[in-house]
Each structure stands twice: as structure tokens, then as C-alpha cells.
Amino acid sequence: MHPNALLDLTTQLIRDVLKLDAPADSLVSYFFRQHKALGQRERHALAETAYAVLRQRLLWGHLAQSGHGPQERRLALLAWQGQPHVLKNGATADELAWLERTTAIDRGALPDKLRHNLPDWLANRLKDQLPEADFWALVDTFSASAPLDLRVNTLKSKREAVLEALAAAEIAAEPTPYSPLGIRIPGKPALQKMPIYTEGHVEVQDEGSQLLALLTNPKRGEMVVDFCAGAGGKTLALGALMRNTGRLYAFDVSAHRLDNLKPRLARSGLSNVYSSQIAHENDDRIKRLRGKIDRVLVDAPCSGLGTLRRNPDLKWRQSPKAVTELEAKQTAILASAARLLKDGGRLVYATCSIIPDENEGIADAFSAAHPDFEPLNAAEALEAAGVSRAQELVTPAGHLRLWPHRHATDGFFAAVWQKKG
């Protein structure tokens, strides 16, 4: 494709995603369905530039106030600044001169808001939790894309064998530092056609998400519930940890998300999973299992602000009001999930949020309201599941707390309890 056409398409896509009226990945997918002739490389490049604009929205929006023509065109030029071939053959002489002037500006002299590219409410909540150097390290991490993490399906393969297969395909990869099941790939290679993927030896899953399944640590023959299963990444991890025995219930209010589990389940080789759409947290399907379950994982609906490396639009689409509304839902879901457990059973509450109101706030309130549940130390629970250096991952209060800049995972929180006998 001619660079000028590529810049025009980038401008169109940026205009669409900056409306912020739907998740960015949905808008990008819809755009590609409208432009079926695009090749895989062009799709990747267009998506990456759109996500770069979402990450740098405040800074680049400020820089794009100078110059001429549609602002989205200038944002596209800023997004392509690392690709001289595209700019040289697609941009005008005036645009190249503007871009040179703009990129010469000292970013360090700009106001903090333009440097951190976060809404004020979110920046303030993060500054309350982190020392200044840590805050800026987190900002830098959120300004880059995430690596590709895989979880090895231990029903079908071992980590060493998968690493050998990737090396044979000349794909750089290394073991994840904490999860004994994980592999990290710096780039974004197309794995979908490789036998290790098509035959279910690996699943794409962030290391932090793998740690949630390991924290739940289900055993052979147990009754386990993944209460908010979504597309089933943690469901598949739990099923493999159970060695395909017992019964694993995957519940979610979204039939569409559960539909996405079906092909993954078929590849995995698991036959102990029972997925079911529920209307709400007090659905009759839930009530029938009360007092019968050994372990429950509640990966609660949340702001998702721990995933800004992958979903940079969330920082612009979330708000303090939305977080407050989520807290009521999180509290109700956790209370309902707790009723499923038999005496001695384990309850894990998790989010992919970095906001304490959704994390420690919910966990502390649950502990206060449920004296029949004893908090467990997440480090000890992780060590029992074979997790390396678990102490690095846990707060003084005993909760799992993952930060992208410290642990190279998405931002996750988890608290764990045991129901008293």
C-alpha cells in the first residue's frame, strides 16, 4: 500500500477510536471488517498507531494544536514518526517540517499532565499509592505495549518442550519469572497457525492472570467455580491444575464471552468444564451449589485500569463515578460467591484494577462482614502452588498486588480466604 493511502487510513481509524464510544479493540475490528483488502502487516501497523495515539492522547493532542489540516492527520504523523519510509513518501514537505519542529520540543519541560497522559483523577489516585519515581516508572510502562505471555497447558506439554518448539521456529522466548506455567515472548509473532497453539499446548494468558489460577490452587477431584469466567482464560488454567478431574463450573452473565471459551476448550483437551450463562449473582444455578464447592475464584468486573498497556482507551472511558458503581457490584458478587463454599473451602477475590477502592476496600469490607472467613497470606498460598519469589508479589497485609512496572505483568490484585470449619 502506498504510504499516502496508509496515512489516510490511519487518520480515519484515529478519528473512529477517539470517539471513545466503544472499546478500542471493537472499533479497530469493525474498521478492519470495513477494509477487508488490508494485509496482516498493514492491520498490525494501523492498530499499533491507533493504540499509540490513545496512550499519548493528551501530549500529542497538545502538540497537534499547531500545524494545518485535520488534527487526526497530525496525530497520525506523530504516530508514524518512527517510520521514516512512510513519512518520506506519504507526508508533504510542510508536514515533515512541522513534525521536525514538534519532535524537537523538550518533553521534560512540559506540564506533568502532558507527560503522564492520564486523567487527573487517575493520576492522583496512583500518586497517593506510589513514590514519585515509581509513579513515573508506571507511566513509562503504560506508554509501551505489553509483551505476549503464554501459559503452557500441562495436560499436553511441558514448558521446556514449548520453549524448544519456539526456538526451532526462531521465536525469542523465555520462562516467566514467577509463574511455573508461563512463557514470555517480547514481540507479537503470529502463533495461531503453529502446532503448539492449534493443538492446545499453549494459551495466550498474562502471567498475572496465571497467578490468580495458581492462588486458587485447585486439587484433583474437587468442585471448583470460576464465578466470572469471561472468555475462560482462568477456567482453562484451573482445569489443567485439576488434571481434568472433578467438576469445574464456569459462570458468566455474558453468553457472548462464554461462546469465546468453546474453541479454546476444544483445543485444551479438558472435559471437566461445565459452562453456564447466569442472569445475575443470585441465579438459581448458583443457589443449587451453595455449601458444596471446594474453591471459588471471583475475577470480578472492574475498571480494568491495570491493563492500560493493552487497553489504553480505558483511562479515557472510565471515571470515578463508574468505579463507585462497580464497587456495589463487586461487593454483591463476592458475598454471593462466598455462599457456595463448604467448610474449609478457599475463596479468591481478584481484579485487574490498580484502584484501592476496588481492591483492598472490597476485601477489607468482606472480612469485616464475614467473620466465618479467615484471611490467608497470598505469599504462602502461591508458594504452595510452586510460584517462585512469591514474597515479591504480596503486600504487608498478605494480598497479591501486581504492578506492571515492578512485575512486568498487568496490574492485578487478589485476596484469599478460607471458610472456617
Side-chain angles (χ1 to χ4, degrees):
M1 177 179 289
H2 191 275
N4 199 30
L6 196 57
L7 278 170
D8 287 344
L9 278 173
T10 307
T11 302
Q12 288 178 45
L13 179 56
I14 289 169
R15 187 174 292 123
D16 289 349
V17 298
L18 286 181
K19 291 175 184 171
L20 300 170
D21 54 2
D25 56 353
S26 302
L27 294 170
V28 170
S29 295
Y30 179 75
F31 184 86
F32 290 157
R33 287 199 297 276
Q34 306 301 109
H35 298 84
K36 288 191 166 65
L38 287 169
Q40 192 61 41
R41 185 177 296 177
E42 292 156 343
R43 288 166 186 257
H44 175 74
L46 281 162
E48 288 297 306
T49 52
Y51 279 99
V53 170
L54 288 166
R55 289 190 183 98
Q56 306 290 340
R57 180 179 170 227
L58 293 181
L59 172 62
W60 287 359
H62 169 77
L63 298 175
Q65 286 172 13
S66 63
H68 303 286
Q71 187 181 42
E72 294 88 355
R73 169 86 176 183
R74 297 197 293 283
L75 291 170
L77 293 169
L78 286 164
W80 282 101
Q81 59 192 305
Q83 302 291 332
H85 165 72
V86 174
L87 295 174
K88 183 181 175 186
N89 296 289
T92 66
D94 282 349
E95 287 174 333
L96 290 172
W98 169 81
L99 193 60
E100 189 174 346
R101 288 194 305 274
T102 303
T103 51
I105 291 171
D106 178 9
R107 309 289 171 97
L110 293 170
D112 280 2
K113 185 167 184 168
L114 298 180
R115 291 172 57 211
H116 62 55
N117 275 285
L118 298 168
D120 287 337
W121 73 271
L122 178 55
N124 291 337
R125 293 200 189 191
L126 292 173
K127 285 176 177 176
D128 287 344
Q129 296 180 72
L130 295 166
E132 186 171 4
D134 258 2
F135 170 77
W136 289 107
L138 178 63
V139 165
D140 287 345
T141 306
F142 280 153
S143 297
S145 59
L148 178 67
D149 284 0
L150 305 177
R151 176 186 58 79
V152 176
N153 178 4
T154 50
L155 290 181
K156 292 193 169 187
S157 196
K158 289 186 164 56
R159 182 155 69 171
E160 295 75 19
V162 173
L163 286 166
E164 286 171 11
L166 290 167
E170 299 185 338
I171 295 171
E174 61 186 14
T176 47
Y178 305 108
S179 167
L181 310 172
I183 290 172
R184 179 158 296 149
I185 299 175
K188 287 193 169 61
L191 298 177
Q192 285 83 349
K193 293 178 181 173
M194 289 184 67
I196 56 167
Y197 183 83
T198 58
E199 295 170 12
H201 294 215
V202 295
E203 270 292 333
V204 174
Q205 186 179 25
D206 183 78
E207 183 183 20
S209 181
Q210 296 177 36
L211 292 170
L212 300 184
L214 289 158
L215 185 61
T216 310
N217 201 12
K219 305 299 185 191
R220 287 172 181 267
E222 287 187 334
M223 299 260 284
V224 178
V225 169
D226 187 354
F227 204 84
C228 307
K234 282 172 284 293
T235 306
L236 299 173
L238 292 168
L241 289 169
M242 295 164 73
R243 305 303 300 168
N244 204 18
T245 64
R247 290 176 78 87
L248 173 54
Y249 296 93
F251 293 127
D252 203 89
V253 293
S254 167
H256 173 68
R257 284 198 293 262
L258 287 174
D259 282 344
N260 291 333
L261 169 59
K262 289 175 183 173
R264 303 174 78 186
L265 197 55
R267 284 198 308 272
S268 74
L270 291 172
S271 56
N272 65 338
V273 176
Y274 301 83
S275 66
S276 184
Q277 184 187 6
I278 55 173
H280 44 71
E281 70 271 11
N282 293 310
D283 192 292
D284 285 344
R285 291 178 180 84
I286 304 285
K287 288 179 178 176
R288 283 197 288 269
L289 295 173
R290 282 185 180 175
K292 297 177 180 177
I293 302 300
D294 295 288
R295 293 168 200 257
V296 179
L297 171 57
V298 180
D299 183 14
C302 71
S303 64
L305 291 166
T307 68
L308 292 183
R309 298 180 305 170
R310 304 172 198 280
N311 304 299
D313 56 310
L314 283 177
K315 59 185 172 181
W316 311 119
R317 295 177 56 237
Q318 290 292 7
S319 68
K321 181 172 180 283
V323 170
T324 301
E325 289 168 357
L326 281 165
E327 288 166 36
K329 186 181 289 188
Q330 290 155 353
T331 300
I333 288 172
L334 182 55
S336 178
R339 297 186 195 110
L340 295 175
L341 285 153
K342 61 172 68 166
D343 290 351
R346 177 174 293 189
L347 174 63
V348 176
Y349 169 77
T351 74
C352 53
S353 174
I354 45 180
I355 303 295
D357 305 23
E358 300 183 80
N359 296 334
E360 289 89 348
I362 300 294
D364 292 348
F366 176 84
S367 290
H370 295 81
D372 53 332
F373 279 81
E374 179 185 5
L376 300 180
N377 187 293
E380 294 172 12
L382 288 167
E383 284 166 357
V387 172
S388 303
R389 295 154 48 194
Q391 295 290 346
E392 297 176 16
L393 311 174
V394 175
T395 68
H399 299 136
L400 176 71
R401 197 72 152 83
L402 302 175
W403 289 99
H405 67 293
R406 289 181 189 163
H407 306 112
T409 65
D410 286 341
F412 278 102
F413 170 87
V416 55
W417 298 267
Q418 183 171 320
K419 188 175 182 185
K420 295 176 183 176

mmCIF file of all heavy atoms in Angstrom, residues 271-294:
data_model
loop_
_atom_site.group_PDB
_atom_site.id
_atom_site.type_symbol
_atom_site.label_atom_id
_atom_site.label_comp_id
_atom_site.label_asym_id
_atom_site.label_seq_id
_atom_site.Cartn_x
_atom_site.Cartn_y
_atom_site.Cartn_z
ATOM 1 N N SER A 271 -12.311 -31.940 29.754
ATOM 2 C CA SER A 271 -13.699 -32.445 29.698
ATOM 3 C C SER A 271 -14.404 -32.270 31.041
ATOM 4 O O SER A 271 -15.505 -32.767 31.222
ATOM 5 C CB SER A 271 -13.690 -33.926 29.300
ATOM 6 O OG SER A 271 -12.889 -34.669 30.208
ATOM 7 N N ASN A 272 -13.771 -31.548 31.981
ATOM 8 C CA ASN A 272 -14.370 -31.387 33.315
ATOM 9 C C ASN A 272 -14.994 -30.015 33.508
ATOM 10 O O ASN A 272 -15.316 -29.622 34.632
ATOM 11 C CB ASN A 272 -13.318 -31.644 34.406
ATOM 12 C CG ASN A 272 -12.193 -30.611 34.413
ATOM 13 O OD1 ASN A 272 -11.951 -29.947 33.397
ATOM 14 N ND2 ASN A 272 -11.515 -30.481 35.541
ATOM 15 N N VAL A 273 -15.169 -29.256 32.395
ATOM 16 C CA VAL A 273 -15.684 -27.883 32.490
ATOM 17 C C VAL A 273 -17.163 -27.848 32.117
ATOM 18 O O VAL A 273 -17.578 -28.399 31.086
ATOM 19 C CB VAL A 273 -14.884 -26.931 31.563
ATOM 20 C CG1 VAL A 273 -15.477 -25.525 31.599
ATOM 21 C CG2 VAL A 273 -13.419 -26.895 31.973
ATOM 22 N N TYR A 274 -17.949 -27.174 32.967
ATOM 23 C CA TYR A 274 -19.386 -27.009 32.735
ATOM 24 C C TYR A 274 -19.662 -25.513 32.707
ATOM 25 O O TYR A 274 -19.684 -24.866 33.748
ATOM 26 C CB TYR A 274 -20.186 -27.706 33.847
ATOM 27 C CG TYR A 274 -19.885 -29.182 33.944
ATOM 28 C CD1 TYR A 274 -18.772 -29.641 34.655
ATOM 29 C CD2 TYR A 274 -20.670 -30.115 33.264
ATOM 30 C CE1 TYR A 274 -18.463 -30.993 34.709
ATOM 31 C CE2 TYR A 274 -20.365 -31.465 33.318
ATOM 32 C CZ TYR A 274 -19.257 -31.900 34.035
ATOM 33 O OH TYR A 274 -18.947 -33.237 34.079
ATOM 34 N N SER A 275 -19.836 -24.958 31.500
ATOM 35 C CA SER A 275 -20.038 -23.510 31.392
ATOM 36 C C SER A 275 -21.526 -23.202 31.338
ATOM 37 O O SER A 275 -22.311 -23.964 30.773
ATOM 38 C CB SER A 275 -19.334 -22.941 30.156
ATOM 39 O OG SER A 275 -19.924 -23.424 28.977
ATOM 40 N N SER A 276 -21.900 -22.069 31.935
ATOM 41 C CA SER A 276 -23.318 -21.730 32.014
ATOM 42 C C SER A 276 -23.501 -20.229 32.143
ATOM 43 O O SER A 276 -22.830 -19.581 32.962
ATOM 44 C CB SER A 276 -23.943 -22.434 33.224
ATOM 45 O OG SER A 276 -25.321 -22.199 33.266
ATOM 46 N N GLN A 277 -24.402 -19.673 31.326
ATOM 47 C CA GLN A 277 -24.743 -18.261 31.463
ATOM 48 C C GLN A 277 -25.678 -18.093 32.664
ATOM 49 O O GLN A 277 -26.593 -18.890 32.869
ATOM 50 C CB GLN A 277 -25.439 -17.751 30.205
ATOM 51 C CG GLN A 277 -25.743 -16.250 30.259
ATOM 52 C CD GLN A 277 -26.591 -15.781 29.082
ATOM 53 O OE1 GLN A 277 -27.053 -16.602 28.279
ATOM 54 N NE2 GLN A 277 -26.799 -14.486 28.981
ATOM 55 N N ILE A 278 -25.433 -17.072 33.469
ATOM 56 C CA ILE A 278 -26.306 -16.760 34.601
ATOM 57 C C ILE A 278 -26.892 -15.365 34.404
ATOM 58 O O ILE A 278 -26.303 -14.522 33.714
ATOM 59 C CB ILE A 278 -25.557 -16.846 35.949
ATOM 60 C CG1 ILE A 278 -24.306 -15.957 35.945
ATOM 61 C CG2 ILE A 278 -25.202 -18.291 36.285
ATOM 62 C CD1 ILE A 278 -23.591 -15.844 37.281
ATOM 63 N N ALA A 279 -28.061 -15.137 35.001
ATOM 64 C CA ALA A 279 -28.710 -13.838 34.858
ATOM 65 C C ALA A 279 -28.081 -12.795 35.783
ATOM 66 O O ALA A 279 -27.999 -11.615 35.459
ATOM 67 C CB ALA A 279 -30.199 -13.970 35.163
ATOM 68 N N HIS A 280 -27.656 -13.232 36.974
ATOM 69 C CA HIS A 280 -27.076 -12.346 37.984
ATOM 70 C C HIS A 280 -26.415 -13.227 39.031
ATOM 71 O O HIS A 280 -26.459 -14.467 38.947
ATOM 72 C CB HIS A 280 -28.151 -11.452 38.620
ATOM 73 C CG HIS A 280 -29.406 -12.186 38.970
ATOM 74 N ND1 HIS A 280 -29.479 -13.087 40.015
ATOM 75 C CD2 HIS A 280 -30.633 -12.173 38.383
ATOM 76 C CE1 HIS A 280 -30.707 -13.590 40.071
ATOM 77 N NE2 HIS A 280 -31.425 -13.071 39.094
ATOM 78 N N GLU A 281 -25.831 -12.579 40.070
ATOM 79 C CA GLU A 281 -25.042 -13.342 41.048
ATOM 80 C C GLU A 281 -25.890 -14.240 41.942
ATOM 81 O O GLU A 281 -25.356 -15.114 42.636
ATOM 82 C CB GLU A 281 -24.174 -12.397 41.892
ATOM 83 C CG GLU A 281 -24.926 -11.514 42.865
ATOM 84 C CD GLU A 281 -25.357 -10.186 42.254
ATOM 85 O OE1 GLU A 281 -25.253 -10.018 41.017
ATOM 86 O OE2 GLU A 281 -25.802 -9.322 43.016
ATOM 87 N N ASN A 282 -27.234 -14.055 41.919
ATOM 88 C CA ASN A 282 -28.110 -14.901 42.740
ATOM 89 C C ASN A 282 -28.978 -15.831 41.892
ATOM 90 O O ASN A 282 -30.045 -16.272 42.326
ATOM 91 C CB ASN A 282 -28.986 -14.025 43.645
ATOM 92 C CG ASN A 282 -28.158 -13.305 44.700
ATOM 93 O OD1 ASN A 282 -27.355 -13.933 45.383
ATOM 94 N ND2 ASN A 282 -28.332 -11.996 44.814
ATOM 95 N N ASP A 283 -28.522 -16.119 40.702
ATOM 96 C CA ASP A 283 -29.223 -17.033 39.787
ATOM 97 C C ASP A 283 -29.454 -18.392 40.465
ATOM 98 O O ASP A 283 -28.669 -18.832 41.301
ATOM 99 C CB ASP A 283 -28.339 -17.207 38.536
ATOM 100 C CG ASP A 283 -29.056 -17.893 37.390
ATOM 101 O OD1 ASP A 283 -29.353 -19.098 37.523
ATOM 102 O OD2 ASP A 283 -29.283 -17.245 36.361
ATOM 103 N N ASP A 284 -30.537 -19.065 40.083
ATOM 104 C CA ASP A 284 -30.843 -20.387 40.663
ATOM 105 C C ASP A 284 -29.714 -21.394 40.437
ATOM 106 O O ASP A 284 -29.506 -22.295 41.258
ATOM 107 C CB ASP A 284 -32.143 -20.949 40.065
ATOM 108 C CG ASP A 284 -33.374 -20.256 40.641
ATOM 109 O OD1 ASP A 284 -33.233 -19.586 41.683
ATOM 110 O OD2 ASP A 284 -34.462 -20.375 40.041
ATOM 111 N N ARG A 285 -28.993 -21.267 39.319
ATOM 112 C CA ARG A 285 -27.873 -22.189 39.063
ATOM 113 C C ARG A 285 -26.802 -22.036 40.145
ATOM 114 O O ARG A 285 -26.115 -23.004 40.481
ATOM 115 C CB ARG A 285 -27.248 -21.896 37.690
ATOM 116 C CG ARG A 285 -28.141 -22.247 36.500
ATOM 117 C CD ARG A 285 -27.434 -21.854 35.200
ATOM 118 N NE ARG A 285 -28.229 -22.162 34.039
ATOM 119 C CZ ARG A 285 -29.193 -21.370 33.544
ATOM 120 N NH1 ARG A 285 -29.468 -20.227 34.151
ATOM 121 N NH2 ARG A 285 -29.881 -21.717 32.474
ATOM 122 N N ILE A 286 -26.660 -20.829 40.658
ATOM 123 C CA ILE A 286 -25.702 -20.573 41.737
ATOM 124 C C ILE A 286 -26.250 -21.151 43.052
ATOM 125 O O ILE A 286 -25.528 -21.843 43.789
ATOM 126 C CB ILE A 286 -25.465 -19.048 41.899
ATOM 127 C CG1 ILE A 286 -24.990 -18.420 40.586
ATOM 128 C CG2 ILE A 286 -24.499 -18.761 43.047
ATOM 129 C CD1 ILE A 286 -23.585 -18.691 40.202
ATOM 130 N N LYS A 287 -27.507 -20.870 43.313
ATOM 131 C CA LYS A 287 -28.105 -21.277 44.598
ATOM 132 C C LYS A 287 -28.034 -22.791 44.801
ATOM 133 O O LYS A 287 -27.861 -23.271 45.923
ATOM 134 C CB LYS A 287 -29.558 -20.798 44.681
ATOM 135 C CG LYS A 287 -29.687 -19.290 44.865
ATOM 136 C CD LYS A 287 -31.157 -18.868 44.922
ATOM 137 C CE LYS A 287 -31.284 -17.364 45.146
ATOM 138 N NZ LYS A 287 -32.691 -16.914 45.105
ATOM 139 N N ARG A 288 -28.163 -23.542 43.712
ATOM 140 C CA ARG A 288 -28.153 -25.014 43.830
ATOM 141 C C ARG A 288 -26.817 -25.557 44.327
ATOM 142 O O ARG A 288 -26.736 -26.692 44.794
ATOM 143 C CB ARG A 288 -28.494 -25.646 42.476
ATOM 144 C CG ARG A 288 -29.983 -25.586 42.125
ATOM 145 C CD ARG A 288 -30.322 -26.574 41.022
ATOM 146 N NE ARG A 288 -29.802 -26.173 39.731
ATOM 147 C CZ ARG A 288 -30.484 -25.426 38.854
ATOM 148 N NH1 ARG A 288 -31.697 -24.998 39.144
ATOM 149 N NH2 ARG A 288 -29.960 -25.124 37.686
ATOM 150 N N LEU A 289 -25.766 -24.763 44.199
ATOM 151 C CA LEU A 289 -24.426 -25.231 44.573
ATOM 152 C C LEU A 289 -23.978 -24.736 45.952
ATOM 153 O O LEU A 289 -22.851 -24.998 46.367
ATOM 154 C CB LEU A 289 -23.407 -24.776 43.517
ATOM 155 C CG LEU A 289 -23.572 -25.376 42.112
ATOM 156 C CD1 LEU A 289 -22.607 -24.720 41.133
ATOM 157 C CD2 LEU A 289 -23.359 -26.882 42.131
ATOM 158 N N ARG A 290 -24.852 -24.050 46.662
ATOM 159 C CA ARG A 290 -24.456 -23.466 47.942
ATOM 160 C C ARG A 290 -23.952 -24.525 48.917
ATOM 161 O O ARG A 290 -24.590 -25.565 49.113
ATOM 162 C CB ARG A 290 -25.630 -22.707 48.567
ATOM 163 C CG ARG A 290 -25.842 -21.338 47.935
ATOM 164 C CD ARG A 290 -26.928 -20.559 48.637
ATOM 165 N NE ARG A 290 -27.108 -19.248 48.004
ATOM 166 C CZ ARG A 290 -28.053 -18.381 48.336
ATOM 167 N NH1 ARG A 290 -28.913 -18.676 49.308
ATOM 168 N NH2 ARG A 290 -28.144 -17.215 47.725
ATOM 169 N N GLY A 291 -22.798 -24.233 49.517
ATOM 170 C CA GLY A 291 -22.243 -25.123 50.528
ATOM 171 C C GLY A 291 -21.594 -26.386 49.971
ATOM 172 O O GLY A 291 -21.187 -27.263 50.745
ATOM 173 N N LYS A 292 -21.455 -26.476 48.634
ATOM 174 C CA LYS A 292 -20.950 -27.708 48.012
ATOM 175 C C LYS A 292 -19.570 -27.559 47.366
ATOM 176 O O LYS A 292 -18.991 -28.546 46.906
ATOM 177 C CB LYS A 292 -21.934 -28.175 46.931
ATOM 178 C CG LYS A 292 -23.315 -28.541 47.474
ATOM 179 C CD LYS A 292 -24.250 -28.923 46.327
ATOM 180 C CE LYS A 292 -25.643 -29.280 46.875
ATOM 181 N NZ LYS A 292 -26.584 -29.584 45.779
ATOM 182 N N ILE A 293 -19.044 -26.345 47.315
ATOM 183 C CA ILE A 293 -17.873 -26.062 46.475
ATOM 184 C C ILE A 293 -16.597 -25.972 47.310
ATOM 185 O O ILE A 293 -16.578 -25.396 48.394
ATOM 186 C CB ILE A 293 -18.099 -24.749 45.682
ATOM 187 C CG1 ILE A 293 -19.371 -24.858 44.823
ATOM 188 C CG2 ILE A 293 -16.894 -24.424 44.814
ATOM 189 C CD1 ILE A 293 -19.359 -25.965 43.794
ATOM 190 N N ASP A 294 -15.496 -26.537 46.766
ATOM 191 C CA ASP A 294 -14.197 -26.522 47.446
ATOM 192 C C ASP A 294 -13.449 -25.212 47.250
ATOM 193 O O ASP A 294 -12.785 -24.736 48.171
ATOM 194 C CB ASP A 294 -13.319 -27.666 46.914
ATOM 195 C CG ASP A 294 -13.899 -29.034 47.259
ATOM 196 O OD1 ASP A 294 -13.840 -29.403 48.435
ATOM 197 O OD2 ASP A 294 -14.412 -29.701 46.338
#
